[in-house]
Each structure stands twice: as C-alpha cells, then as structure tokens.
Amino acid sequence: MAEQQLAVLNALDVAKTQLYHFTAIVIAGMGFFTDAYDLFCVSLVTKLLGRLYYFNPLSEKPGSLPPHVAAAVNGVALCGTLAGQVFFGWLGDKLGRKKVYGITLIMMILCSVASGLSFGNKAKGVMTTLCFFRFWLGFGIGGDYPLSATIMSEYANKKTRGAFIAAVFAMQGIGILAGGFVALAVSSIFDKKFPSPTYAVDRALSTPPQADYIWRIIVMFGALPAALTYYWRMKMPETARYTALVAKNIKQATQDMSRVLQVELEMEERAEDVVKDPRLNYGLFSKEFLRRHGLPLLGCTSTWFLLDIAFYSQNLFQKDIFSAIGWIPKAATMNAVHEVFKIARAQTLIALCSTVPGYWFTVAFIDIMGRFAIQLMGFFMMTVFMFAIAFPYDHWIKPDNRIGFVVMYSLTFFFANFGPNATTFIVPAEIFPARLRSTCHGISAATGKAGAIVGAFGFLYAAQPQDKTKTDAGYPPGIGVKNSLIMLGVINFVGMLFTFLVPEPKGKSLEELSGETEVEK
C-alpha cells in the first residue's frame, strides 16, 4: 500500500487562500516583472542605438545596427538566460530555493544598472559593454524562472495552485507594459526639452546628443522593482517541501509552516521514515527517473521549445509588422526621439490589447479547464491564426486591410498567453519530485530559451525578402515573411501534438503527481 502524505504538506495543500499566498505572488512576481522588463526593453531602443552609434551622414536612411551587432544585442541576454536556467535550477535543488533566490536578484539589480553604463563613447566600446552585462543580466534572470515557479508551486494549496503560478507568470505582461510606459515617458520628456528636426530635414541634428541618455535610463530602470523586493525575498522562509523532502528536516518544516499558516501543526512520529526511504532517492540520470518522469520531461521540454520559436520570432518582427501596416512611419520622416516614442506606443498597444489579457485569462481559467486543455487550445488557435495571416498575406498588407491584420496578429499573441506560454511555465513546477523539481524546471525552461534563440536569430534571417534589392542592410535574402509565418504555423501544430505527453496536474497534490508518497510496502 502507498504511504500517506506528510501532515505539514497536507496542511499546505488544504490551506485556505490567505495573505501569505498573495505576498508570495508579489515577491516572486516582481522578479518576473523585472525579467520581462529587462528582456523586452532592449527592443524599444535598438533603432535608437543604430542612429546614435552607426550614423552615416551620406546615407539616405538613419544609422542602424549591423546584423551581427543587432543579433548580439538582442540575443546575448537569451543565451545568458539559458545558461542561468540550467545552473540555478540545479543549484536551487542543491542549496535550497531561498538562498539561491537572493543571489539571482542581486545579479539582476547590478547588471541592470551596469548595462546602462558603458566604457568609452565609441560604438565598439558601448556595444561590448552592453552585451557583456546583458549576458550576465540574462544569467540572473534565468535563475528566476525555475526558482519563482518552484517556490510558488510549493507554497500554494492544491485547489488554486495553477492560478497562483500563472499569476506570477502574468507579471511578465505587466513588465512588458512597464517597459513601454517608461519608454513613452522618457522619450516625451526628452522631446519637449530637446526638440530636433526629422532625419530628412537635417541628418546630423535629427539625433540630439542628449538622446544617448534615453536608452540608458530605459535599460537601468529595470533595477528598481527588483531592488524594492530584495528585503521581502530574504524574509521568506524556505519552502516546507524543500525542508521536509530534500533537507529531510521535518521539524523545521513544521515550525516554518506553523508560523506562515498561523496554525499549530503537530510533528509526526513516523514522518522521518517516509522521507528517508532509499527507494525515493533516485537521481536525474537513473533508470527509475526515466521510467517515472522521462516522457513528461520530454513533453515539457519539446512543447516549451516549439512555443518559444513561435513566440520570440513573433516579437521580433513586431517592428516590421508595425511598419508594414503604417503604425510606425518611415525612419527618415522622424527624429530619433520620435522613433523611440512610436515604437514604444505600438508595442504598448499590442501588450495592452492582447498580451496582458491572455495572461490573466489563464489565471482565471487554469484551475477550471486544466493545464492540458488550455495548452492544446492555445497551440491550435495559434496554428489557425498563423495560417490565416500567412496564406492571404498579400491581402493583409494592403492599406485597407490593416486593422484586420492587427486583430489577427493580436489574437495569435492572446492565445499564446492564454495557452502554452503560461502552461509550459506552470506544469514543470508541479510534476517532478521535490529534490529534482527546480532542476527539471530549469532544463525545460532552458530548452524553451534554445527555441527562443532559434526563433530570434533564425527568423531574423528567414523573414528577409527573397528579392535581394529589398533586404535590410547587411542581410542575405531570406524566404520572406509569408513563408516564415507558414513555417511558424507548422511549428505550432507540432507543439500541439507533443502536448499529449504532458500529464494533467489539476487538483492533485505535488507529492501525488511526483510519486513521492508512493512507496509500495
């Protein structure tokens, strides 16, 4: 017969939703707010960096980042994140969630500030410094993924666990919005103080020297929310599941949770025997792990990988889509500050209308519909909308059909967030055993980031027009936006198929899902 769950963990599972749940959401969520802000804010200022550091007075067009520099600025943080997810995920299982949580936050604060400072004022010095610190910023952000998800899932009760983890993840949407609002505010202030002509009127004066502060302020602002939550992060006790099941200190876990839940919990007599059973101590590379968790891990990694290819490549040709539909005028008809304002305005509108609502729909429905249904539906709808945009693509880019195009594009984003973008983050934090939970989440997240790198770089080149004369400066001809979108539709469809490997954690305790209480007598 199977063993019973420990009383202290059962108390957490059946606890009513209380203030400490919301405190945990805010503390873990602010980390995610910062992650999203830092990762996405750079896309608001890449055009400005091009104008500032790659200005060519003889060119008809304003300066733009050369392809390899643009790729480095956009992608280096993703590479750092991938490394951080694996490393801190593993460390979170070795040292405990709380200890590692503080380290990642300090890294994020320091590197956010440092990436806005640069050595020298030449293009090479500035870009090198920016890329160096953005890599380490990404490394810290990477640690936040497995730790935030794991901490929230281990603190939550089983009835609303999905919604709590989804709420932490939804702070990503708020972070993207904040990036847009900060850029709008900063660019408006600079525009009032330092008015300048458009590029077509005066090439040199269209980028005022003070514009160099704009991108630095936007990039450095990400440190603020992280710094504000540092104290609270350090005050959180270690999660009971880590203390009891990994550190094997049930007495400490019972005391911690008595304090958090504000109830008297009794220490069990036979509890020590349950957690010290040798049959539950299999490692990540053991046959037993493969037998129990091999397919679910494949499901988590593959779906996250495929989703991020689609999700990050969409984010990338956002600017191109905005230009195609006329939301952002031709670069030469604006000065540098206006361009930042227009890009930020377009991104903020998309975030407000589709990205943010999608996240909160997941929060509302995940414990009703379940993870599996939401993920399957999300992938299916993304496939449908990608194809609906791709096949009649020439129809959508005509000026009369712009609104329809934006609606379809927004809906793809909505179903990414009310769909696999949220569920791929939630499920790995629920289905693996406590001593490998953070590691497995880190592995799943890192595979996702590998997909993001494929999406970001692969499609940067793939989306270039097939006609040599129409490609962006320095890029070889690609397969065009239309064919890129068809490929993304196919990728989403494959993601839908791999979803069938992922189990449904709704309404079950973490120990039941991971088999940690199932030791046959």
Side-chain angles (χ1 to χ4, degrees), residues 13-54:
D13 271 343
V14 297
K16 285 197 171 67
T17 302
Q18 301 169 22
L19 181 65
Y20 85 90
H21 285 120
F22 294 105
T23 314
I25 289 173
V26 172
I27 296 168
M30 280 324 268
F32 246 80
F33 173 94
T34 311
D35 297 352
Y37 182 95
D38 288 335
L39 282 179
F40 290 104
C41 73
V42 80
S43 66
L44 302 170
V45 296
T46 42
K47 296 268 203 232
L48 175 64
L49 289 169
R51 284 187 184 234
L52 281 164
Y53 295 105
Y54 293 91

Side-chain angles (χ1 to χ4, degrees), residues 37 41 43-45 48 175-193 214-215 217-219 221 322 327-328 336-352:
Y37 182 95
C41 73
S43 66
L44 302 170
V45 296
L48 175 64
I176 295 170
L177 266 186
F181 285 135
V182 169
L184 288 170
V186 173
S187 56
S188 300
I189 293 164
F190 273 77
D191 190 39
K192 290 245 179 354
K193 290 270 187 238
I214 295 180
W215 71 269
I217 294 168
I218 293 171
V219 167
F221 188 83
F322 294 148
W327 273 15
I328 296 174
V337 183
H338 283 164
E339 190 171 38
V340 174
F341 184 86
K342 293 262 169 58
I343 291 170
R345 188 184 63 178
Q347 292 222 9
T348 309
L349 278 170
I350 284 283
L352 263 178

Side-chain angles (χ1 to χ4, degrees), residues 159-388:
K159 196 164 135 218
T160 52
R161 187 178 59 232
F164 287 162
I165 309 173
V168 168
F169 193 62
M171 292 299 280
Q172 209 179 30
I174 313 291
I176 295 170
L177 266 186
F181 285 135
V182 169
L184 288 170
V186 173
S187 56
S188 300
I189 293 164
F190 273 77
D191 190 39
K192 290 245 179 354
K193 290 270 187 238
F194 311 104
S196 52
T198 65
Y199 188 80
V201 173
D202 189 321
R203 291 175 185 179
L205 292 179
S206 70
T207 308
Q210 294 86 354
D212 194 44
Y213 291 109
I214 295 180
W215 71 269
R216 296 175 193 275
I217 294 168
I218 293 171
V219 167
M220 290 163 92
F221 188 83
L224 193 66
L228 294 176
T229 51
Y230 181 74
Y231 170 76
W232 298 107
R233 254 192 202 199
M234 292 298 88
K235 292 265 290 186
M236 268 178 118
E238 182 55 85
T239 72
R241 288 186 158 94
Y242 184 85
T243 313
L245 298 171
V246 187
K248 313 249 189 273
N249 186 346
I250 294 175
K251 188 174 175 203
Q252 184 64 47
T254 310
Q255 283 169 358
D256 286 347
M257 289 310 107
S258 294
R259 210 168 58 241
V260 168
L261 294 166
Q262 293 170 340
V263 291
E264 259 323 297
L265 292 172
E266 291 298 314
M267 169 76 182
E268 294 166 89
E269 291 302 314
R270 40 164 276 288
E272 300 289 336
D273 310 332
V274 178
V275 294
K276 290 189 175 155
D277 192 299
R279 286 169 294 183
L280 285 179
N281 285 340
Y282 53 86
L284 182 65
F285 299 106
S286 63
K287 277 194 179 139
E288 184 64 12
F289 178 86
L290 195 65
R291 183 180 73 78
R292 289 176 178 233
H293 306 290
L295 280 178
L297 184 60
L298 175 64
C300 290
T301 49
S302 56
T303 50
W304 205 335
F305 176 75
L306 294 162
L307 163 84
D308 270 9
I309 293 179
F311 192 73
Y312 277 81
S313 58
Q314 267 187 308
N315 261 338
L316 280 173
F317 42 88
Q318 212 169 54
K319 287 200 290 278
D320 308 327
I321 287 175
F322 294 148
S323 304
I325 60 171
W327 273 15
I328 296 174
K330 286 209 169 3
T333 63
M334 297 182 280
N335 64 33
V337 183
H338 283 164
E339 190 171 38
V340 174
F341 184 86
K342 293 262 169 58
I343 291 170
R345 188 184 63 178
Q347 292 222 9
T348 309
L349 278 170
I350 284 283
L352 263 178
C353 301
S354 68
T355 316
V356 174
Y359 286 115
W360 293 103
F361 262 77
T362 306
V363 175
F365 290 108
I366 189 151
D367 288 311
I368 302 165
M369 292 170 65
R371 288 62 158 161
F372 179 80
I374 288 180
Q375 187 162 315
L376 204 62
M377 171 197 74
F379 268 131
F380 175 73
M381 298 307 269
M382 283 170 78
T383 310
V384 169
F385 286 117
M386 283 283 192
F387 284 152

Side-chain angles (χ1 to χ4, degrees), residues 416-436:
N417 292 324
F418 180 34
N421 195 32
T423 51
T424 51
F425 174 79
I426 294 164
V427 175
E430 300 181 299
I431 60 177
F432 299 107
R435 68 184 182 289
L436 299 170

Side-chain angles (χ1 to χ4, degrees), residues 406-460:
V406 175
V407 169
M408 303 285 269
Y409 181 70
S410 299
L411 281 168
T412 324
F413 257 116
F414 174 80
F415 281 108
N417 292 324
F418 180 34
N421 195 32
T423 51
T424 51
F425 174 79
I426 294 164
V427 175
E430 300 181 299
I431 60 177
F432 299 107
R435 68 184 182 289
L436 299 170
R437 187 170 290 135
S438 174
T439 308
C440 290
H441 194 286
I443 291 168
S444 303
T447 324
K449 274 294 165 286
I453 293 166
V454 171
F457 297 130
F459 282 94
L460 196 61

